[in-house]
Amino acid sequence: MLGCSYPQGKPDKNELFRAVKANEEWELVIELGETGIIRIVDVASEVAWLLNIENGHFFCFNGEDLEVFKAPFANANPVAARFLNEADILVADKNLGLCKYLPHSSSYYVVADECKGIPFVGINSITMDGYGGAYVSDATSSGYFKRDGKIYYVWFRDGDFDVELFQEGVAFPSCTAVSENDNLFIGEFATNSVICVPSKAAQGRVETPSMFMYHDNGHGPTGLAVDSCSNVYASFEFCHDILVSSQNGSQKTRISLPECAKSFPSDIYIDGDWLYVVEGTEGALFRIKLSPSVVESEIPDCLEPLSWPWQL
């Protein structure tokens, strides 16, 4: 896990903002043999699950063998997925709605396709919150001039899936992530930014939803991840770097992608102190170890953030 304390003495501002950095070199985990918009489903105990949303193929790589599972229905269109337990995968299906998938038995069925009579239009991401629920984004027909994207919250109760509206008015939500200090980060693709709001678990907290992170290049975010110190990582199409910001929005650094990779990171994921990125034009999963030690859970007020947009 990433360390969350300063060394002795007052930290240097420039050193602090660059505290989250990569050690050694990027490692190639697996080349999938397919290209496209590839999402990371899960990485744990050296087992990686991925999804190619262009053909519905799920990949399982155990460090030696690569197994491919195909969505069992012709009209299925899985675009994001997360594990519910060791066997069941919760799938955001653009055509069918929220589905459950058991790859080894080819079982694939709809568990919810609406919220209080309003059907899903284009759900496209899932984030488990650790409290027995998940955030599901629905981009609908939203965009820069039409902010009607939605974030739903889904409860898992005795095998049932109860859906409620959590947030609306989003300009094409593309991905979400939850921090340990109960903030929900929403990737707003149409504005190239990340929005921060109190999560469902932030009982009694009243905060104004605000822009948290902005990239002056590319398109996205395509992926969001949060580490154990609530530092936020975001990837963007056509950018050869990953932005990293502390929990209060002060940017620390940009982590460059592997030199051999092109500039299409379609998703990112953090497992312990490893940062994973899947690059779609290469169809490859890479990882790099993050530096521990001087990452603080909160930046002291005496330290001024960098300019906006950030110039490192």
Side-chain angles (χ1 to χ4, degrees), residues 19 163 195 236 277 303 308:
V163 184
I195 310 300
F236 293 77
V277 59
L303 298 179
W308 183 279

Side-chain angles (χ1 to χ4, degrees), residues 28-49:
L28 174 63
V29 178
I30 180 67
E31 291 180 305
L32 300 175
E34 295 184 8
T35 60
I37 302 176
I38 299 169
R39 309 297 298 273
I40 300 174
V41 179
D42 185 73
V43 180
S45 302
E46 302 298 322
V47 178
W49 282 83

Side-chain angles (χ1 to χ4, degrees), residues 217-239:
N217 291 305
H219 300 289
T222 59
L224 286 175
V226 183
D227 67 22
S228 60
C229 293
S230 298
N231 298 299
V232 182
Y233 301 68
S235 59
F236 293 77
E237 292 178 357
F238 313 121
C239 291

Side-chain angles (χ1 to χ4, degrees), residues 167 183-186 194-199 204-212:
Q167 184 70 52
N183 282 324
L184 175 67
F185 298 94
I186 302 171
V194 177
I195 310 300
C196 179
V197 301
S199 73
R205 251 175 57 193
V206 179
E207 294 179 19
T208 300
S210 59
M211 181 184 291
F212 176 83

Side-chain angles (χ1 to χ4, degrees), residues 114-159:
E114 65 173 25
C115 175
K116 295 179 172 54
I118 300 176
F120 298 146
V121 178
I123 57 175
N124 60 354
S125 75
I126 299 175
T127 295
M128 313 302 269
D129 72 345
Y131 295 102
Y135 297 92
V136 177
S137 63
D138 192 330
T140 66
S141 58
S142 62
Y144 189 85
F145 294 110
K146 188 178 181 183
R147 299 169 184 256
D148 59 0
K150 297 176 176 64
I151 305 296
Y152 294 104
Y153 188 76
V154 183
W155 292 96
F156 315 135
R157 294 171 173 168
D158 300 324

